[in-house]
């Protein structure tokens, strides 16, 4: 993933912060700002636990809001999902 692709979420969070990025029947809507913040928190948590750029990260989730959060978190720090 290129730097340009990594910045898509950040750009959406900046210019469309309050628009809905994900709609979930169980959890309600998630805005671009909320998605970006959650991905940042998860990326930082993985990094704090020793995951580094280029490391592979397994993602085993159902079709939930947490899946795109985990996916974007990996891309933000250069982890390989």
């Amino acid at each position: 993933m290129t730097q340009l692709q990594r910045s898509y979420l950040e750009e959406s969070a900046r210019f469309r912060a309050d628009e809905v990025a994900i709609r979930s029947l169980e959890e309600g809507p998630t805005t671009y700002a909320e998605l970006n913040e959650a991905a940042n928190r998860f990326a930082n948590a993985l990094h704090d636990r020793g995951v580094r750029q280029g490391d592979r990260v397994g993602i085993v989730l159902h079709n939930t809001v947490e899946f795109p959060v985990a996916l974007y978190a990996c891309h933000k720090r250069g982890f390989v999902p």
Side-chain angles (χ1 to χ4, degrees), residues 8-21 31-33:
Y8 287 155
L9 179 57
E10 286 89 358
E11 291 299 311
S12 294
R14 184 181 356 253
F15 294 109
R16 301 167 53 180
D18 295 329
E19 290 184 33
V20 175
T31 66
Y32 283 100

Side-chain angles (χ1 to χ4, degrees), residues 14-36:
R14 184 181 356 253
F15 294 109
R16 301 167 53 180
D18 295 329
E19 290 184 33
V20 175
I22 300 170
R23 293 191 191 278
S24 169
L25 295 175
E26 293 82 26
E27 300 177 36
T30 301
T31 66
Y32 283 100
E34 292 167 336
L35 176 60
N36 189 50

Side-chain angles (χ1 to χ4, degrees), residues 37-54:
E37 179 58 31
N40 285 337
R41 281 193 313 268
F42 192 57
N44 291 334
L46 289 172
H47 187 266
D48 291 346
R49 285 163 179 77
V51 181
R52 297 294 179 255
Q53 185 173 358

Side-chain angles (χ1 to χ4, degrees), residues 2 13 17 23 29-30 33 36 51 57 60 64-65 73 81:
T2 67
R23 293 191 191 278
T30 301
N36 189 50
V51 181
V57 175
V60 181
T64 63
V65 173

